[in-house]
């Protein structure tokens, strides 16, 4: 049974093992994609281990900048969930440059991270960057508008 189907059926341990086999023996491209999927399966049971897997992939220059950025983005999202605001911010900020493939997602996660950490000044700053960028995807713009509505004038940080 294909590893993706195992994941869809909620068989995370089996899917993780299948992606692990692909990562161990596949070509470079398949190996990188399999590591990403394996980390996603690991996240369902052990977010700390998934963070480590994503961070390892983010540091691997052989996979290419886009996959490195995607891995860093996914690690940062898990770090936000784990309450590691400073570490998430450090992982996300390099991804926000104009030429980066996942810059919009990184900016949105930075706004969310700041809001969750209670830093409304930083949340406003990233929200403004997102809203003033003409290339921000419409759905993201809508989510950020909702976040801005949560940032009340009474809350400052």
């Amino acid at each position: 049974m294909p590893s993706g189907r195992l994941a869809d059926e909620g068989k995370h341990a089996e899917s993780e093992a299948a992606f692990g086999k692909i990562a161990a023996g596949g070509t470079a491209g398949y190996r990188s994609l399999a590591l990403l999927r394996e980390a996603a399966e690991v996240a369902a049971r052990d977010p700390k281990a998934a963070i480590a897997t994503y961070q390892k992939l983010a540091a691997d220059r052989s996979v290419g900048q886009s996959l490195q950025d995607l891995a860093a983005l996914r690690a940062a999202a898990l770090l936000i969930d784990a309450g590691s605001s400073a570490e998430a911010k450090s992982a996300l900020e390099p991804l926000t440059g104009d030429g980066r493939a996942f810059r919009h997602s990184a900016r949105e996660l930075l706004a969310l991270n700041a809001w969750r950490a209670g830093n409304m000044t930083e949340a406003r700053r990233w929200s403004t960057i997102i809203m003033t960028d003409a290339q921000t995807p419409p759905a993201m713009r809508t989510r950020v508008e909702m976040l801005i509505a949560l940032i009340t004038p009474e809350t400052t940080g």
Side-chain angles (χ1 to χ4, degrees):
M1 178 176 290
S3 43
R5 186 177 304 155
L6 290 168
D8 292 342
E9 293 175 1
K11 298 177 180 176
H12 299 291
E14 293 170 0
S15 179
E16 179 185 335
F19 283 120
K21 282 184 184 177
I22 295 169
T27 63
Y30 281 117
R31 187 172 22 254
S32 301
L33 293 173
L35 284 171
L36 281 170
R37 286 298 306 263
E38 182 183 10
E41 294 304 315
V42 171
R45 65 170 175 75
D46 188 353
K48 284 184 179 184
I51 290 167
T53 301
Y54 283 131
Q55 289 173 332
K56 180 179 177 186
L57 193 55
D60 184 352
R61 293 188 191 275
S62 72
V63 302
Q65 190 68 60
S66 291
L67 283 179
Q68 284 181 280
D69 287 359
L70 179 57
L73 188 76
R74 289 193 168 183
L78 290 172
L79 287 164
I80 292 168
D81 285 344
S84 299
S85 177
E87 195 175 353
K89 181 178 177 181
S90 292
L92 290 166
E93 284 183 335
L95 307 179
T96 64
D98 285 336
R100 301 302 274 270
F102 298 100
R103 68 186 175 279
H104 299 294
S105 296
R107 293 170 182 170
E108 182 180 19
L109 284 174
L110 280 162
L112 175 65
N113 184 48
W115 178 76
R116 286 188 66 185
N119 186 340
M120 297 309 139
T121 301
E122 190 76 3
R124 277 189 206 95
R125 183 174 83 80
W126 284 109
S127 296
T128 300
I129 290 169
I130 293 164
M131 296 306 287
T132 57
D133 183 343
Q135 294 181 344
T136 297
M140 183 177 294
R141 193 175 295 279
T142 300
R143 288 190 304 271
V144 172
E145 287 172 350
M146 288 186 267
L147 180 62
I148 291 169
L150 295 174
I151 304 170
T152 62
E154 296 81 41
T155 56
T156 57

